[in-house]
Amino acid sequence: MEDREAKNMENSMGISSFPDHNFPIGFFDAPATTGGDGSFFDLLGLQSIFDVPPLPTPPPPPPLTTAPPPESSELSNPPATPNSSSISSSSTEAAAPAGEERVKGEGEDDREEEKKTMKGKKGQKRPREPRFAFMTKSEVDHLEDGYRWRKYGQKAVKNSPFPRSYYRCTSAMCGVKKRVERSSEDPTVVVTTYEGQHTHPSPVVPRGGGGGGGSLSAAAFTAGGGGFSLAPPLTRSKLEIPYFRNMTSAPSLDFDRFSVHRTSTAASPSSSMMRDYGLLQDLVPSEVMREET
DNA sequence: CGGTTTTGACCAGCGC
DNA sequence: GCGCTGGTCAAAACCG
Ligand SMILES: [Zn+2]
């Protein structure tokens, strides 16, 4: 009984449909590394978080049988990357009051679980890299954040039918690591945990270049190492401002430490639903980190 | 040809 | 001391 891996890998989104449906989810705090395998975010109440009126049915299955023919461009690429996410913490209580997200900071209630391992010396070998959990509701697994990642491992997660993928930044000196995993109860939710800070600009230019494609939204949040300050009550209010009406040129927002690049999809042939959801789709960047041993 | 991915094995830390 | 899990590295395979 142990492993049950359900292979859910890439979905087949084939052609039609925009697999880019993301919704805000909650961020969860990482449990203790070994030993503490208790409940992960499995018990999250993510869906409860959405209180946004315009997002009533996020689960619209991508299965649009019909495929928009004119989509020849890559813009509807499945692997596109939409993203919307939020953060919240609390592994036990996930019920976040809809309407407000909470960011967990190290200065807040962080539960110091420090235990051992610190043999006298502190810190030198174990750089405390902050762990940033990023939850995104997406049917697809490829969350394009604007960086190139190389998969260096995959392991099955206990208590989860889906495996966890380990990615590392392909940058030369960027030791940023990324962990991607799907919620066991909500396969529609993808949990991406970023570890480390990027020291190089995103290789992926925010401009698609070509034509049209729009896909993409990048969220760059970096968790400072060694202590950062918690961001004040970050509310989506700010995010609502940036509508993609014509801000294509300056999609960069800076939130205390994170920058959110929202490249909206320029004109898409099938903007039918996009328009409806597109507007409300934003992501709430937050930084949450957990110190590691 | 390069880069990336894939799978297995290995290691380390922690629990008991 | 052993077991367990998580996490990482390595080699090979695969793709563009
Ligand atoms: Zn990087």
Side-chain angles (χ1 to χ4, degrees), chain A residues 88-139:
Chain A
S88 189
S89 74
S90 333
S91 35
T92 320
E93 233 179 309
E100 274 277 329
E101 308 304 8
R102 218 162 59 311
V103 185
K104 181 191 194 178
E106 108 178 74
E108 247 230 79
D109 64 24
D110 52 296
R111 257 140 239 190
E112 247 18 73
E113 50 183 75
E114 197 152 308
K115 343 182 149 195
K116 62 242 131 200
T117 330
M118 257 158 161
K119 298 155 189 190
K121 269 97 183 245
K122 64 187 60 226
Q124 205 168 344
K125 308 183 139 240
R126 246 163 216 224
R128 11 192 124 291
E129 51 181 276
R131 267 179 215 213
F132 180 112
F134 192 101
M135 277 174 133
T136 308
K137 189 166 194 166
S138 179
E139 258 109 13

Side-chain angles (χ1 to χ4, degrees), chain A residues 4-269:
Chain A
R4 131 176 333 166
E5 279 195 87
K7 263 96 197 249
N8 199 7
M9 285 186 150
E10 330 233 335
N11 25 7
S12 40
M13 44 223 307
I15 9 190
S16 42
S17 61
F18 291 19
D20 318 349
H21 285 131
N22 306 338
F23 280 85
I25 318 254
F27 152 86
F28 82 84
D29 168 48
T33 354
T34 40
D37 67 71
S39 32
F40 240 61
F41 44 89
D42 298 350
L43 308 171
L44 281 169
L46 334 126
Q47 351 188 348
S48 310
I49 301 180
F50 315 45
D51 55 7
V52 194
L55 305 170
T57 331
L64 278 185
T65 339
T66 354
E71 219 82 23
S72 34
S73 284
E74 67 229 272
L75 83 57
S76 73
N77 257 0
T81 321
N83 53 46
S84 254
S85 37
S86 302
I87 3 219
S88 189
S89 74
S90 333
S91 35
T92 320
E93 233 179 309
E100 274 277 329
E101 308 304 8
R102 218 162 59 311
V103 185
K104 181 191 194 178
E106 108 178 74
E108 247 230 79
D109 64 24
D110 52 296
R111 257 140 239 190
E112 247 18 73
E113 50 183 75
E114 197 152 308
K115 343 182 149 195
K116 62 242 131 200
T117 330
M118 257 158 161
K119 298 155 189 190
K121 269 97 183 245
K122 64 187 60 226
Q124 205 168 344
K125 308 183 139 240
R126 246 163 216 224
R128 11 192 124 291
E129 51 181 276
R131 267 179 215 213
F132 180 112
F134 192 101
M135 277 174 133
T136 308
K137 189 166 194 166
S138 179
E139 258 109 13
V140 250
D141 201 20
H142 283 152
L143 296 163
E144 172 51 83
D145 54 3
Y147 290 99
R148 194 75 142 239
W149 305 86
R150 171 172 88 261
K151 189 178 189 163
Y152 72 88
Q154 187 164 7
K155 274 288 264 305
V157 181
K158 213 165 123 84
N159 254 220
S160 268
F162 306 117
R164 175 184 287 140
S165 299
Y166 295 89
Y167 292 90
R168 205 162 166 180
C169 188
T170 60
S171 249
M173 266 180 109
C174 194
V176 176
K177 287 188 266 182
K178 178 167 113 188
R179 257 168 219 196
V180 178
E181 180 186 346
R182 269 179 142 110
S183 180
S184 50
E185 286 245 3
D186 286 305
T188 59
V189 176
V190 177
V191 179
T192 307
T193 306
Y194 287 91
E195 204 168 320
Q197 189 176 214
H198 282 290
T199 72
H200 63 90
S202 34
V204 175
V205 184
R207 244 197 196 306
S215 55
L216 156 251
S217 24
F221 23 53
T222 32
F228 7 41
S229 19
L230 178 35
L234 238 172
T235 349
R236 49 178 109 230
S237 314
K238 293 167 128 199
L239 302 170
E240 294 193 312
I241 300 168
Y243 274 131
F244 76 99
R245 235 339 180 178
N246 29 289
M247 64 177 255
T248 322
S249 343
S252 6
L253 303 177
D254 338 322
F255 286 93
D256 300 20
R257 261 183 174 212
F258 347 108
S259 321
V260 181
H261 290 269
R262 202 178 190 350
T263 333
S264 52
T265 321
S268 333

